[in-house]
Amino acid sequence: MSDLFKEKAGDWDASQMKIELSSAIGSTILAQVSLNNEMKVMDFGAGTGLLTSHILPRVNSISAVDTSASMLDKLAGKPEFHGKVTAVCQDITRKKLDAKFDLIISAMALHHVEDTAGLMETFAEHLNAGGQIALADLDKEDGTFHPADVEGVFHHGFEHEALKTIIESKGFADVQFHTAHTVHREDKSYPIFLVVASKN
Ligand SMILES: C[S@@+](CC[C@H](N)C(=O)[O-])C[C@H]1O[C@@H](n2cnc3c(N)ncnc32)[C@H](O)[C@@H]1O
């Protein structure tokens, strides 16, 4: 598994933009999803655990799934996560986990997975009946959010209606979009959605 975030992991948490974004996504999840400390939660594309840190106080334990060993090394080094967050370095779209969850959360990882329909199917397979997804990513953008030559970016954001159709086709209902945040950079604005849905 190639680690496309190896160079970025070291100073990931030093970015004010990333801190503000994960905080806004975390607050929107807390406002839109009922959480309790019995729930089994997966943070997909958890990275260094910025989103995990916002949700953990309300659920007690989280499985942090990511394909980047470097990002997960940073996560595993955070003392506040010890005994509560399990780092899982695996591409679950290729090899399923032997576990089911009540909630799958994610921040800014969907655009790194080429097959969105396959990913939603993978999420459905990892959820208990009635389980939920709460996924944040970019609204459709003009391709300027990432540098032009960056590897591993498969989508320049997502159209809500097209993503809703995919999510519903994989067995989810009650699909709701919320605006979690807007990233402002130079003269551009990049809205970030949170989509919440329940497995049928
Ligand atoms: C933009 S970063 C976001 C990290 C973190 N969620 C945050 O908000 O700071 C995207 C993350 O998705 C991970 N990722 C990309 N493809 C993945 C896949 N197929 N399975 C799991 N994680 C993946 C990357 O390794 C990276 O850590």
Side-chain angles (χ1 to χ4, degrees), residues 122-137:
T122 298
F123 288 162
E125 288 168 350
H126 283 85
L127 282 171
N128 293 316
Q132 287 179 289
I133 48 175
L135 314 170
D137 213 299

Side-chain angles (χ1 to χ4, degrees), residues 1-5 12-13 18 21-22 25 43-52 65-69 71-72 88 90-94 106-113 119 146 152 154:
M1 220 156 42
S2 66
D3 187 346
L4 298 178
F5 284 77
W12 190 265
D13 289 1
K18 292 181 176 75
L21 178 54
S22 60
I25 293 169
D43 182 355
F44 175 81
T48 62
L50 290 180
L51 178 60
T52 288
V65 173
D66 205 289
T67 46
S68 167
M71 295 289 265
L72 287 179
V88 182
Q90 187 166 315
D91 187 346
I92 62 167
T93 65
R94 293 171 188 272
S106 184
M108 303 300 281
L110 302 193
H111 63 260
H112 291 294
V113 179
L119 180 60
H146 296 92
F154 295 102

Side-chain angles (χ1 to χ4, degrees), residues 41-107:
V41 179
M42 177 204 297
D43 182 355
F44 175 81
T48 62
L50 290 180
L51 178 60
T52 288
S53 69
H54 290 285
I55 306 303
L56 188 62
R58 298 277 288 274
V59 298
N60 270 348
S61 73
I62 293 181
S63 293
V65 173
D66 205 289
T67 46
S68 167
S70 323
M71 295 289 265
L72 287 179
D73 279 351
K74 296 284 288 184
L75 175 145
K78 295 184 175 176
E80 66 273 25
F81 287 172
H82 288 172
K84 296 179 173 179
V85 178
T86 308
V88 182
C89 194
Q90 187 166 315
D91 187 346
I92 62 167
T93 65
R94 293 171 188 272
K95 187 174 176 231
K96 278 199 278 177
L97 299 179
D98 188 17
K100 293 237 182 186
F101 299 86
D102 302 303
L103 174 67
I104 298 175
I105 59 172
S106 184

